[in-house]
Amino acid sequence: KFAQMMANGGELGGVRILREDTVARMLTGSLPAQARDTPSLSGKGLDFGLGFAVLTNPEVSDLAIPAGTGFW
């Protein structure tokens, strides 16, 4: 249900659980540049939002998902 609520922009069953701007912030990369340049993330097009990994650059990623997609 949590994933469905996130996919619906913070709503589930017609009830607003999170504000849309909260969901957007959760899916916005938040790591400082030094953290993104670590061996585990460097060159993979990934960042981390608030609780989710976020694909920021699909051109360098091996993931077949669009930019801005959050996952865990």
Side-chain angles (χ1 to χ4, degrees), residues 18-43:
L18 296 173
R19 295 186 323 224
E20 287 184 44
D21 62 318
T22 301
V23 173
R25 180 72 176 119
M26 292 173 77
L27 296 171
T28 298
S30 301
L31 291 178
Q34 306 98 303
R36 286 191 309 271
D37 290 338
T38 62
S40 60
L41 293 178
S42 184

Side-chain angles (χ1 to χ4, degrees), residues 2-70:
F2 178 77
Q4 185 62 59
M5 181 268 306
M6 291 296 293
N8 291 341
E11 266 188 39
L12 183 65
V15 176
R16 169 113 352 242
I17 308 295
L18 296 173
R19 295 186 323 224
E20 287 184 44
D21 62 318
T22 301
V23 173
R25 180 72 176 119
M26 292 173 77
L27 296 171
T28 298
S30 301
L31 291 178
Q34 306 98 303
R36 286 191 309 271
D37 290 338
T38 62
S40 60
L41 293 178
S42 184
K44 296 184 178 167
L46 298 175
D47 200 336
F48 282 86
L50 303 175
F52 292 89
V54 181
L55 181 65
T56 56
N57 188 352
E59 288 88 34
V60 299
S61 175
D62 57 359
L63 301 172
I65 56 178
T69 300

